[in-house]
Amino acid sequence: MELKKLTGPQAGSLKYDLLTALSVAGLHGSPTVQTSLMRLAAVITARYNWRLDEVSIGQAELARLWAVNERTVKREMKRLTEDGWIVCIRPGVRGRVGAYRLNYSRIYENTESCWASVGPDFADRMAEMSGARRVVKVDFSGAAPRPVPLSVVPEGRTGWPAVARRLQQSHPELYESWFAKLKEGEAVAGEINLIAPNAFVAGYVQTHLMQNLQNAAALEAKTAQSPVPRVVLSIPRV
């Protein structure tokens, strides 16, 4: 994927779109994600050096900017880094101020599902900026279009594989963007334990898509004539 650089005559609008994507993703996420992305947007707006493509700022300065204490700053920067929004390029050790860079590819990946909420023009611009635009070959021969094949999910099994297959068939776009990122956790009777790759995905699924998961689990249980399991979502322990 080739990312479009935020430089040149159109750099201002490209940066504006990037901040829009972060803001809307925050509004679509959990309260924790909302707070994190609001803080990140504030840092970008106030202190990001686009020429060097980095922000170099001390914990005391961040604490003042965010109106929090330095312990909260350390926790927040760790969360933003672990969730892939930013990358630490120079650790703040021995009195030296740390430096961070935006992780553009992960930002585009994490916000893509929200682009359409802003509008089709915005989604189109973001697809071009992120390099995610796909070239579609159209066949005008009159032949019936071939369906896009589903990824292989084992049939004949209960639990998450069967639920995942149902979600893949009923909500292919949501499956590709969100459900496919989930992995099956420890087997517990009466539960389907799922693990999200990061807090952003966990927050969005928990806030917006949990009912889809539970409904699919209920339908699979009805088909298998078994009790309806409870869907539990978590993130890996650090």
Side-chain angles (χ1 to χ4, degrees):
M1 181 173 66
E2 184 179 354
L3 304 180
K4 193 168 184 178
K5 293 185 178 180
L6 304 184
T7 57
Q10 301 299 319
S13 60
L14 295 177
K15 296 168 188 173
Y16 185 86
D17 284 344
L18 185 74
L19 285 166
T20 299
L22 287 170
S23 300
V24 174
L27 292 171
H28 281 73
S30 66
T32 299
V33 171
Q34 290 178 21
T35 301
S36 292
L37 295 190
M38 180 183 294
R39 288 169 174 166
L40 178 58
V43 171
I44 295 171
T45 305
R47 294 296 300 272
Y48 203 79
N49 186 325
W50 296 101
R51 183 177 62 83
L52 298 178
D53 194 19
E54 68 176 49
V55 59
S56 183
I57 186 170
Q59 291 183 4
E61 293 176 280
L62 275 175
R64 287 196 299 270
L65 180 65
W66 292 344
V68 297
N69 56 41
E70 292 189 32
R71 174 181 290 184
T72 300
V73 168
K74 292 176 67 175
R75 184 167 59 245
E76 187 65 88
M77 295 303 285
K78 181 180 179 182
R79 180 184 297 120
L80 289 169
T81 304
E82 290 180 344
D83 290 350
W85 299 104
I86 58 177
V87 176
C88 180
I89 58 175
R90 188 173 63 249
V93 295
R94 298 179 182 176
R96 184 174 61 179
V97 175
Y100 298 85
R101 177 168 294 153
L102 293 175
N103 189 352
Y104 298 102
S105 59
R106 283 295 296 276
I107 289 174
Y108 296 136
E109 178 185 346
N110 287 348
T111 63
E112 184 176 3
S113 63
C114 304
W115 297 347
S117 300
V118 182
D121 292 343
F122 177 81
D124 192 58
R125 291 198 306 273
M126 290 297 290
E128 180 178 357
M129 184 162 68
S130 67
R133 186 189 300 280
R134 298 177 176 86
V135 178
V136 180
K137 184 177 179 181
V138 181
D139 183 4
F140 293 99
S141 64
R146 297 172 62 187
V148 178
L150 297 173
S151 61
V152 178
V153 178
E155 294 186 75
R157 288 181 57 192
T158 57
W160 176 236
V163 173
R165 182 174 181 83
R166 180 178 289 275
L167 289 167
Q168 192 178 29
Q169 293 172 331
S170 59
H171 304 288
E173 293 183 359
L174 289 177
Y175 181 86
E176 182 180 352
S177 297
W178 299 102
F179 299 131
K181 301 179 188 297
L182 306 178
K183 305 297 181 184
E184 189 170 18
E186 182 181 357
V188 177
E191 293 183 353
I192 296 179
N193 283 289
L194 301 176
I195 301 175
N198 53 56
F200 176 77
V201 172
Y204 189 89
V205 172
Q206 188 74 47
T207 305
H208 299 280
L209 303 176
M210 206 62 182
Q211 192 60 54
N212 298 77
L213 281 171
Q214 194 62 61
N215 289 345
L219 288 171
E220 280 301 319
K222 182 177 180 181
T223 300
Q225 297 183 343
S226 60
V228 177
R230 184 170 70 98
V231 179
V232 180
L233 184 64
S234 61
I235 59 175
R237 294 181 180 178
V238 180

